[in-house]
Amino acid sequence: MSYFKKANRVLKRLIQSGKKDFVIFPFGERGMQIKQILNQRYGITERYVVDNGLAEESDNPDILSLKALKEVDLTGMMVLLASDQESIYHQLRCQLLEIVDREQIVDVFSPSMHYDPHAYLDGRFFENIRFAALDCAAREIYRNGVEGHIAECGVYRGDFAHMISRLLPDRKFYLFDTFEGFDERDNVDHEFDTIPTVYFNNTAVDVVLDKIGHHVDTVVRKGYFPETAKGLEEERFAFVSLDTDLYQPILAGLEFFWLRLNPGGMIFVHDFASLAGVRKAVMEYCRREHIGYMRIPDEFDTAVLSKPL
């Protein structure tokens, strides 16, 4: 998808929803494209252009610096984040979050659409497949305009959570984990895999948050799932990763999240081929609810469930 087409799709959706007051930030090449689409295609003049360099050179009261933007009443306005560069995108977003509410920021050029896998992957072939599949999922979520939060149940040290946050940076990110290893309540059914509680306990909330970074709106739900999901019954999701390794928490994750997954949303279930309890939970739930799934051939296989659009 070209830059112009992606920007037009985002702006068209905003305008059709009744939005008409826009701020463009920053005003580089992508900002100029946004201005062109607003002015020429939709007959809308942006309310403000925000660019520190331009603001120093211009006397136009509608060209502001970030500092000046703080003094403006932005009620009802949408800030169009006009950056596609991974190296500066999160910094720009954090700067805006100090001024406007998260709901007012529109990611016109999501970095997910321009993701460079070589910047993050460590060369392990099978993990590359899983990350590449996540990138494809994120692209489809943005292309289809899927709304909703993101979540991972079974976070461990945050490696996959880091990738999710990079590819879907504009969503509230729920992290569900004991952060202390397995809970004995999930090891009671010995028909399937039993994993010692000491496995995967070499982690902590701070370890995960440091890996994700501070650019994402993260919500930590520490403890036993699904107890930690209480109070979230009305939330809706666009993407969920389930990586809890055992039958009961995988089944509980599917039962909780599938009902709250928006059309076009996806659930990744890791270890589908390597752990009998995981496979059993996925197949049992999918047969019961008449849901299809597909396998991604990473090192341990990942099952992907996709909600029809």
Side-chain angles (χ1 to χ4, degrees), residues 210-275:
D210 286 346
K211 191 163 293 185
I212 292 175
H214 301 289
H215 60 275
V216 178
D217 181 13
T218 51
V219 179
V220 175
R221 289 280 179 140
K222 185 177 186 294
Y224 181 68
F225 185 88
E227 293 175 0
T228 49
K230 290 181 180 178
L232 303 179
E233 291 80 8
E234 301 303 316
E235 299 285 53
R236 304 291 293 184
F237 294 87
F239 179 83
V240 178
S241 169
L242 300 179
D243 192 6
T244 51
D245 294 356
L246 296 169
Y247 168 79
Q248 190 56 49
I250 291 292
L251 184 60
L254 291 171
E255 289 174 338
F256 180 82
F257 288 111
W258 181 258
L259 293 176
R260 295 165 179 84
L261 197 68
N262 279 329
M266 301 182 199
I267 297 179
F268 277 26
V269 186
H270 199 221
D271 299 307
F272 179 71
S274 60
L275 295 174

Side-chain angles (χ1 to χ4, degrees), residues 63-134:
I63 300 178
L64 304 178
S65 65
L66 271 174
K67 182 178 180 180
L69 188 65
K70 295 180 181 180
E71 308 303 319
V72 175
D73 181 4
L74 297 173
T75 304
M77 296 190 195
M78 306 301 294
V79 181
L80 304 174
L81 180 50
S83 174
D84 65 326
Q85 298 183 42
E86 174 71 22
S87 59
I88 63 172
Y89 173 84
H90 301 302
Q91 177 184 350
L92 296 177
R93 186 173 177 80
C94 287
Q95 289 173 345
L96 286 178
L97 286 172
E98 295 178 357
I99 303 172
V100 299
D101 293 335
R102 186 175 301 275
E103 293 73 20
Q104 292 178 267
I105 302 174
V106 179
D107 300 270
V108 180
F109 301 104
S110 166
S112 154
M113 303 298 290
H114 312 281
Y115 167 57
D116 177 9
H118 300 293
Y120 306 108
L121 305 184
D122 60 7
R124 293 177 294 170
F125 175 74
F126 289 111
E127 283 300 285
N128 287 9
I129 294 174
R130 186 184 181 203
F131 291 153
L134 174 63

Side-chain angles (χ1 to χ4, degrees), residues 137-149:
R139 290 169 184 259
E140 293 307 307
I141 286 170
Y142 280 113
R143 282 171 175 157
N144 292 319
V146 181
E147 302 294 334
H149 307 309

Side-chain angles (χ1 to χ4, degrees), residues 150 162 167 256:
I150 56 179
H162 166 71
L167 293 169
F256 180 82

Side-chain angles (χ1 to χ4, degrees), residues 156 177-182 195-203 245:
Y156 187 37
D177 204 300
T178 66
F179 297 97
E180 296 175 354
F182 292 100
I195 303 177
T197 55
V198 296
Y199 282 23
F200 303 111
N201 67 354
N202 59 328
T203 186
D245 294 356

